[in-house]
Amino acid sequence: MRYHRVFCFTAAMLFLLSCTVPSQTFTTASKNKQAEKIRSACRYAWKGYKQYAWGYDALKPVTKTGQNWYAVSFLMTPLDAYDTFILMEMKEEAKEARELILSGLNFNVDQEVQVFEINIRLLGALISAYELTQDHPFLDLATDLGKRLLPAFNSPTGMPYRYVNLKTGTTRDPVSNPAEIGTYLLEFGKLSQHTGDSIYYKIAKKAAFEIYRRRSDIDLVGTLIDVNTGEWKNMECQIGARIDSYFEYLYKAWALFGDKECFEAWKIHNKAIKKFMFTRIPSGGYFTRVDMKSGKETHSYYGALDAFYAGILALSGDTITARTIQRGNYYMWTRFNLEPEEFNFRNDSLLYPNYALRPENIESCFYLYRQTHDPEFLIMGRRMTDDILEKCKTDAGYAAIKNVSTLEKEDSMESFFLAETLKYAYLLFAPETLLDLKKIVFTTEAHPLIKDQQFSADPF
Ligand code: DMJ
């Protein structure tokens, strides 16, 4: 008994110590300085893209070349980065990106694309660009793209296939996942709002609710599902890769459009996630992986993508759970000096040791800071940002890391680095008046959309 008490006391002390972030005072001047540093990094990354990858989807920051996802370029980097330039008041860069996009982007191509990625990176960016600038060509491009994505949803269940050909509408790959099925509510809802055609929100909502109605008796979902049959192919529930933004969009469809059914669905899932997956250990709070039917732990894996959930919890007002998770997130970052893609939070072993320049950990700091104004989140955000700017920098931009232990660089700078990572880092330190979270909702790719609680697509 005495040993038990000693153990509990030691565990509690370790937990408290691991939660302690050294207190430092932030002044307006020091926050502005950090914001400026991030803006310079954004300018530097764009300069590299311009110099070595102009017109391509992305910059390869080590070999200093350009890279396309498909046979043609869809200008992923300029498009994903455009609203970041606007928010950062980088007028010259915004002008360059705008000219490239409006003169070079064409969706009338015989090309098969991944529906989810094209939606979050391109469609979301185009709609956001339109809302921020009222520049009609952005909406024309968005409408054209939206129409071309619609055939993906022609499955027996209404859940989209993973790939669609933009010209022919041919689809492929029926085994998909909740994220790739349920992450259209925001972009398609906005398209319905701006075009007056309810079809987009209708099919986006149907797809998300086809997942929801297949939840288990304990209100969890699995990782893989067949969109032809509606049968689960993998029953492990987790909040990271392949499920993450399905949960996120149920909450955000409520935040953006006031959709009550989405809010109810979010609440039900969130309650189950907290009941079966939330795990508190001395180093912080994590969400573990469980079987969707029994709620029993399958793997104690956690990683860079999972880190977003603290942000969505903070946004929804649950700052208590969010804080605990964020301490786990920060532990993950500081333990490895850059967060890994995945590690085992029970024994700290690395599963996927790479860092892909992901935003989620900083994103959660941003939401937590906005809700609490606790400088702890500024300290965390500064440490993470400084690590990235120092360890990932190349002669041409910023590179993903192959292994957080060796810091060997990977020849990749994903467009979300400019769309999300630098944007959330900047907004964490920039004056809050720049962006009012009461008026906008960020898509999963951090494209800001203006709240419209009057909009009702009446989807069913
Ligand atoms: C982004 O493309 C989106 O945030 C998506 O939802 C998952 N993660 C990447 C960035 O890590």
Side-chain angles (χ1 to χ4, degrees):
M1 187 62 178
R2 194 176 330 131
Y3 288 122
H4 178 70
R5 266 198 224 121
V6 170
F7 175 77
C8 287
F9 177 75
T10 314
M13 286 313 288
L14 274 173
F15 177 69
L16 286 175
L17 278 175
S18 70
C19 295
T20 310
V21 175
S23 74
Q24 290 162 39
T25 319
F26 278 86
T27 58
T28 306
S30 64
K31 281 164 71 179
N32 286 344
K33 195 171 160 210
Q34 188 70 8
E36 197 42 50
K37 189 172 172 181
I38 296 157
R39 194 148 68 135
S40 301
C42 190
R43 194 167 279 132
Y44 182 74
W46 177 247
K47 198 169 147 236
Y49 172 83
K50 268 191 344 189
Q51 195 171 348
Y52 303 110
W54 186 251
Y56 285 87
D57 279 329
L59 166 72
K60 293 178 90 172
V62 176
T63 53
K64 301 184 194 168
T65 47
Q67 181 182 32
N68 286 335
W69 282 33
Y70 305 108
V72 289
S73 169
F74 290 113
L75 301 173
M76 301 268 181
T77 297
L79 197 43
D80 234 1
Y82 182 63
D83 56 59
T84 301
F85 296 153
I86 293 180
L87 287 177
M88 290 192 188
E89 295 171 282
M90 290 167 54
K91 293 202 174 94
E92 194 51 40
E93 288 79 1
K95 190 167 164 262
E96 290 162 352
R98 181 187 178 277
E99 279 169 16
L100 180 59
I101 295 161
L102 296 185
S103 64
L105 199 53
N106 172 24
F107 297 119
N108 187 22
V109 283
D110 189 358
Q111 177 62 55
E112 175 191 71
V113 297
Q114 194 182 349
V115 185
F116 165 79
E117 293 289 352
I118 294 297
N119 175 58
I120 65 169
R121 299 195 200 213
L122 303 188
L123 188 59
L126 287 167
I127 296 168
S128 180
Y130 170 66
E131 292 203 336
L132 292 176
T133 63
Q134 294 302 309
D135 228 348
H136 230 277
F138 284 119
L139 182 59
D140 295 340
L141 279 165
T143 312
D144 181 38
L145 177 58
K147 278 189 195 142
R148 293 172 190 277
L149 295 181
L150 285 179
F153 294 78
N154 287 336
S155 73
T157 61
M159 293 189 276
Y161 294 98
R162 296 188 63 226
Y163 288 87
V164 70
N165 183 303
L166 290 177
K167 195 175 217 143
T168 64
T170 311
T171 53
R172 84 163 160 91
D173 215 342
V175 178
S176 192
N177 54 74
E180 291 190 53
I181 290 166
T183 311
Y184 303 91
L185 288 159
L186 269 55
E187 294 83 357
F188 280 36
K190 277 289 179 181
L191 215 44
S192 282
Q193 184 192 329
H194 292 306
T195 61
D197 186 346
S198 63
I199 184 73
Y200 298 103
Y201 196 61
K202 218 180 239 178
I203 61 156
K205 188 158 171 183
K206 174 157 172 50
F209 275 74
E210 286 295 319
I211 291 287
Y212 181 64
R213 74 182 186 85
R214 288 178 175 82
R215 69 193 183 282
S216 66
D217 292 345
I218 58 168
D219 297 322
L220 296 175
V221 295
T223 301
L224 292 175
I225 192 164
D226 188 325
V227 306
N228 283 332
T229 62
E231 208 186 303
W232 289 107
K233 293 290 178 190
N234 176 318
M235 299 220 192
E236 186 175 60
C237 187
Q238 33 98 13
I239 51 139
R242 300 189 287 188
I243 305 187
D244 46 10
S245 47
Y246 158 70
F247 294 135
E248 178 184 357
Y249 270 32
L250 289 175
Y251 180 78
K252 287 186 173 174
W254 151 254
L256 186 63
F257 302 126
D259 189 318
K260 293 194 182 82
E261 285 158 326
C262 288
F263 189 44
E264 283 311 307
W266 146 263
K267 282 196 288 193
I268 284 181
H269 277 322
N270 186 47
K271 197 170 162 206
I273 289 168
K274 282 169 68 177
K275 179 170 176 190
F276 295 102
M277 297 160 74
F278 180 55
T279 310
R280 224 180 149 126
I281 60 167
S283 62
Y286 302 91
F287 288 106
T288 196
R289 298 187 176 187
V290 300
D291 178 88
M292 68 181 266
K293 288 197 163 156
S294 67
K296 295 236 161 65
E297 183 169 288
T298 46
H299 296 102
S300 48
Y301 301 161
Y302 192 84
L305 286 164
D306 304 68
F308 90 100
Y309 209 82
I312 200 87
L313 284 174
L315 191 62
S316 74
D318 182 1
T319 49
I320 295 177
T321 318
R323 271 179 187 276
T324 314
I325 298 296
Q326 191 53 29
R327 284 180 187 149
N329 287 346
Y330 192 58
Y331 173 82
M332 166 169 75
W333 190 284
T334 49
R335 169 70 179 79
F336 302 102
N337 285 313
L338 263 188
E339 67 186 357
E341 184 71 359
E342 264 175 40
F343 82 120
N344 186 331
F345 66 81
R346 294 201 189 278
N347 62 18
D348 281 1
S349 60
L350 285 168
L351 289 153
Y352 295 104
N354 58 305
Y355 172 61
L357 296 171
R358 291 199 188 280
E360 289 79 3
N361 212 328
I362 296 176
E363 174 184 353
S364 287
C365 279
F366 163 70
Y367 284 116
L368 266 159
Y369 182 67
R370 280 294 182 99
Q371 287 283 13
T372 63
H373 291 107
D374 186 335
E376 178 178 8
F377 303 112
L378 295 177
I379 295 168
M380 290 182 181
R382 182 163 69 185
R383 163 75 194 267
M384 293 187 222
T385 312
D386 286 352
D387 276 345
I388 296 171
L389 300 191
E390 185 200 319
K391 293 172 183 152
C392 304
K393 192 169 183 180
T394 72
D395 292 345
Y398 294 88
I401 297 292
K402 276 188 189 157
N403 188 320
V404 291
S405 313
T406 62
L407 293 183
E408 190 191 344
K409 295 194 171 81
E410 197 174 322
D411 203 7
S412 153
M413 185 178 84
E414 284 270 8
S415 64
F416 56 67
F417 179 62
L418 286 151
E420 297 188 73
T421 314
L422 293 177
K423 183 185 286 149
Y424 285 125
Y426 180 75
L427 290 174
L428 177 60
F429 296 98
E432 287 188 26
T433 45
L434 198 61
L435 185 127
D436 185 349
L437 276 179
K438 288 197 186 76
K439 295 191 181 137
I440 73 104
V441 174
F442 281 111
T443 68
T444 192
E445 191 76 2
H447 298 303
L449 298 176
I450 298 164
K451 279 194 189 188
D452 186 350
Q453 304 273 321
Q454 305 311 315
F455 165 72
S456 162
D458 188 27
F460 292 124

